[in-house]
Amino acid sequence: MEQQHAAQEPQPAEQVPQYKQCAHCKEQKLLAEFLRRTGRRSGKSSRRGACRACRKLRKQPAPSAGEEDSLDPDHSLSVSSHSREAAESGDTEPLHADTPPPKRRIRRPLPVPPPRPEGPSESILRPNREGILRMRGKTDKGRRWQQETDLETAVTLVREHAAVVVNRHIIRRIYTNRSFRNYILTRDQHTCHYCGEYGDTIDHLLPRAKGGHTTPVNCVCACNECNQSKADRNLEDFIVSEP
Ligand SMILES: [Zn+2]
Ligand SMILES: [Zn+2]
């Protein structure tokens, strides 16, 4: 017995045209203009924050590990900075030389932290009988983790709005790796803190190697190029150095 085709195919919800505002250029664009998210927790209709056109303006390919776990912009240091995408020789930029002119670095106001979360003040924190404090948090997958920390780190994380005080011996990280990254890129509108171009990496103003922490106060959006050239330098040293 042969079945007749239904007159109308039911349309899956995801195929209904939807619009989204680009996090960088702020234009409303069709969802198709945004790359799908990849990775473990990406939902069906989850799309990246910046449109394809803005992404294409990037000067360099993103580090391959950049999208997953890493609150680890320093990671990108290991990525070659000279593999340019052939596709970039589009119509927007006349590329006549291999080396683009050095970027102008702009001094900008430092990021404004998010409103301070509810909770006891960091002044009540002190080490427990074993001389430590504990820090709790969640992974991107929602799994809980806990690790030891010291008083100075705990106080800084709470002060810089990255954690809240649970009790005098325990703090809790507010962000997962992914939600932190999303928070910073959205706050900074995918705009590099140093040169003002499109950016999609997280940079520590005070490098971690010098005691900086991964907090809303100490992190900014940066383009790959600025992130790599700043490396472990302090903000001041980077801004005043020759590009
Ligand atoms: Zn855009
Ligand atoms: Zn930049």
Side-chain angles (χ1 to χ4, degrees):
M1 214 173 17
E2 216 153 40
Q3 273 197 326
Q4 291 236 320
H5 281 294
Q8 293 201 330
E9 300 265 311
Q11 273 230 321
E14 313 142 59
Q15 284 182 13
V16 174
Q18 285 174 313
Y19 293 85
K20 174 181 165 83
Q21 188 182 42
C22 170
H24 188 62
C25 68
K26 300 289 166 198
E27 283 177 43
Q28 292 283 340
K29 297 193 170 184
L30 272 173
L31 270 192
E33 291 300 313
F34 297 85
L35 297 178
R36 281 183 195 282
R37 282 189 198 283
T38 53
R40 296 173 295 233
R41 290 193 76 203
S42 45
K44 281 184 289 213
S45 55
S46 156
R47 300 273 180 161
R48 296 192 179 279
C51 71
R52 288 176 197 268
C54 285
R55 288 181 168 269
K56 213 178 161 188
L57 292 177
R58 278 191 301 194
K59 292 287 177 285
Q60 304 204 336
S64 52
E67 293 297 338
E68 281 303 322
D69 281 320
S70 59
L71 279 187
D72 191 358
D74 305 341
H75 205 76
S76 60
L77 291 173
S78 59
V79 176
S80 157
S81 59
H82 298 293
S83 54
R84 275 167 213 289
E85 283 167 7
E88 274 188 16
S89 47
D91 42 14
T92 44
E93 302 169 277
L95 290 182
H96 33 69
D98 278 327
T99 45
K103 291 185 174 188
R104 275 242 328 271
R105 288 170 201 147
I106 310 152
R107 190 182 296 271
R108 287 167 202 279
L110 292 178
V112 178
R116 196 191 157 104
E118 303 273 315
S121 152
E122 68 272 13
S123 63
I124 70 164
L125 290 172
R126 60 185 178 86
N128 65 16
R129 271 171 293 179
E130 293 142 45
I132 53 156
L133 290 95
R134 292 187 194 285
M135 172 162 63
R136 292 177 182 164
K138 281 187 180 173
T139 66
D140 288 332
K141 284 179 172 174
R143 198 179 300 142
R144 289 167 204 235
W145 55 262
Q146 176 168 290
Q147 68 185 50
E148 293 181 6
T149 188
D150 57 86
L151 182 59
E152 196 190 331
T153 301
V155 167
T156 304
L157 292 179
V158 174
R159 231 174 236 161
E160 298 191 3
H161 302 198
V164 291
V165 175
V166 175
N167 63 43
R168 59 197 175 147
H169 302 313
I170 301 176
I171 62 166
R172 180 172 56 78
R173 277 271 190 189
I174 299 168
Y175 301 95
T176 67
N177 284 349
R178 182 180 309 236
S179 70
F180 182 76
R181 186 186 145 78
N182 288 342
Y183 166 75
I184 297 291
L185 296 183
T186 303
R187 179 195 69 187
D188 295 354
Q189 303 182 356
H190 277 76
T191 302
C192 175
H193 182 78
Y194 306 110
C195 72
E197 291 180 16
Y198 174 87
D200 60 6
T201 74
I202 305 296
D203 189 60
H204 292 70
L205 294 166
L206 176 63
R208 284 184 298 179
K210 297 188 171 167
H213 292 288
T214 304
T215 70
V217 173
N218 192 44
C219 290
V220 291
C221 169
C223 73
N224 218 23
E225 197 175 322
C226 289
N227 196 328
Q228 292 187 45
S229 65
K230 178 171 176 289
D232 280 350
R233 282 184 286 179
N234 293 322
L235 177 63
E236 261 329 282
D237 300 341
F238 178 59
I239 294 278
V240 301
S241 71
E242 285 301 311

